[in-house]
Amino acid sequence: MVVKFRGVTMKMKPDCFACLYTQMLRVSKALDCDEKCGTRIMEESAARIARLDPDQTPPEAAAILYPALSELLGKRDLYAKQKEESTQRAKELIPGVEQRIREAEDPLDAALRAAVAGNVIDFATEVSFELEEEIEKIFETPFAVDDKGEFLRRLAGAKRLAVLGDNTGEHLFDKVMIRILGERFAELEIDYFVRGRPIINDVTVVEAKAVGMDEVARIVDSGVDTPGFLYERASAEAKERYDAADLILAKGMGNFECMESWADERVFFLFKVKCGVVAAKIGKEIGDLVCMESGGNR
């Protein structure tokens, strides 16, 4: 399959430049930098942000800034500690989520909802949400864009599903969803795509293996260094697995920002809106839940 584009992809907006600068400040605080270190981070970040190409996607810009910051600080995985904490926090909540799914009238719909609840674990957005609160209301909250039914209808006829992962901690909720889908569709082969290197708090092979994702899906190292799947940056294996999929579920805003312009009818996006730019793009509000068929921008 050759990936084609149906229009102008999501480019950097003025808000994106400000958001990236704020993200760099959050990194300095997360690493408990002293004043000298924090000032150095912000000065270096400001200089690099000023040189960013506005015609690229926000995840492509992030893939420039975060590695530069890693090199500056001599720390490959900037959010390693926070990823461990997010994973532990998610583990504590998973049993309750699994019970809610078992008791649900429609377990498949509930499993997709649980995966969206996990999507709030994100260190790169302008707003934050409490995971426990999201879980409490996720099973009753209507979706602003609700193509879950169409996704499940098409999944029933699929042989291979590719799930494009997003954040660490969220990946535990993805595992629950994937297990439920695998139980319902026993012949379905499922791939779980992860980032090719640490970037923000996105899930990599290390975090996926640590929670036993390979028990329910084949873990695919995408090779992609951006916080969103970009086909042209993917490894040969990842491209082959992506091309072979009958259906693709892209988790999170980063994947949406990278892929929303692709003319690929196999793609469904599943995320919570956490950014004003994305909200404006799809005509929804911050906090809205989205399960959107590719090409289904409202």
Side-chain angles (χ1 to χ4, degrees):
M1 186 210 74
V2 177
V3 175
K4 298 180 180 179
F5 296 87
R6 65 165 182 267
V8 178
T9 192
M10 187 169 173
K11 298 180 180 180
M12 295 274 289
K13 305 294 184 184
D15 285 2
C16 298
F17 290 91
C19 179
L20 286 168
Y21 192 67
T22 301
Q23 287 181 46
M24 298 301 100
L25 178 61
R26 284 202 293 268
V27 171
S28 70
K29 293 182 180 298
L31 296 178
D32 295 322
C33 286
D34 58 25
E35 185 174 341
K36 182 178 180 180
C37 172
T39 299
R40 187 180 177 200
I41 287 173
M42 299 315 293
E43 288 178 345
E44 178 70 16
S45 299
R48 289 183 177 272
I49 289 171
R51 297 194 298 268
L52 289 175
D53 182 357
D55 286 334
Q56 64 191 335
T57 64
E60 286 175 301
I64 294 172
L65 287 176
Y66 279 90
L69 191 54
S70 292
E71 183 177 351
L72 178 69
L73 298 174
K75 186 176 177 64
R76 183 172 186 268
D77 192 345
L78 295 170
Y79 278 121
K81 178 182 176 182
Q82 288 74 16
K83 290 198 288 187
E84 290 179 3
E85 292 172 349
S86 295
T87 298
Q88 182 57 40
R89 186 180 176 199
K91 283 181 178 179
E92 295 167 358
L93 297 170
I94 288 297
V97 169
E98 291 176 324
Q99 182 177 348
R100 294 289 295 271
I101 293 173
R102 286 194 300 269
E103 296 172 349
E105 182 177 337
D106 185 346
L108 293 179
D109 178 88
L112 290 171
R113 288 175 174 274
V116 178
N119 187 231
V120 304
I121 305 174
D122 195 339
F123 298 154
T125 55
E126 65 189 63
V127 295
S128 60
F129 300 87
E130 288 297 325
L131 181 57
E132 291 86 347
E133 293 179 9
E134 291 302 307
I135 291 173
E136 283 300 313
K137 62 186 181 182
I138 193 68
F139 297 100
E140 308 298 334
T141 302
F143 274 56
V145 181
D146 193 354
D147 292 333
K148 296 193 304 298
E150 177 62 14
F151 171 75
L152 293 171
R153 185 191 70 77
R154 290 177 58 182
L155 189 62
K159 294 181 179 179
R160 298 180 68 169
L161 168 68
V163 178
L164 308 186
D166 189 24
N167 301 316
T168 301
E170 177 183 352
H171 70 313
L172 276 161
F173 294 84
D174 293 344
K175 183 184 177 183
V176 172
M177 174 193 70
I178 290 169
R179 190 182 69 249
I180 298 297
L181 295 179
E183 290 172 353
R184 178 62 64 90
F185 306 106
E187 301 301 315
L188 184 66
E189 182 179 346
I190 304 176
D191 287 341
Y192 189 73
F193 283 59
V194 298
R195 305 292 184 240
R197 57 161 295 160
I199 180 80
I200 317 179
N201 66 319
D202 286 22
V203 60
T204 69
V205 169
V206 172
E207 293 83 31
K209 286 186 175 180
V211 302
M213 185 66 77
D214 50 356
E215 298 167 1
V216 297
R218 173 173 177 165
I219 300 173
V220 178
D221 184 338
S222 69
V224 173
D225 61 349
T226 53
F229 184 76
L230 284 170
Y231 186 86
E232 63 270 22
R233 296 196 186 199
S235 66
E237 179 197 8
K239 288 179 179 178
E240 181 181 350
R241 302 297 296 184
Y242 181 94
D243 292 346
D246 298 310
L247 204 59
I248 296 159
L249 184 64
K251 294 288 308 299
M253 290 197 311
N255 285 321
F256 174 78
E257 289 170 335
C258 287
M259 300 172 64
E260 57 87 22
S261 67
W262 296 8
D264 190 343
E265 62 184 15
R266 300 172 301 163
V267 174
F268 283 76
F269 299 105
L270 185 64
F271 62 94
K272 186 179 182 75
V273 180
K274 294 166 287 188
C275 154
V277 173
V278 171
K281 178 71 176 180
I282 64 175
K284 301 302 175 184
E285 303 293 331
I286 291 177
D288 281 347
L289 306 178
V290 173
C291 182
M292 177 186 290
E293 184 176 1
S294 180
N297 292 6
R298 272 63 172 178

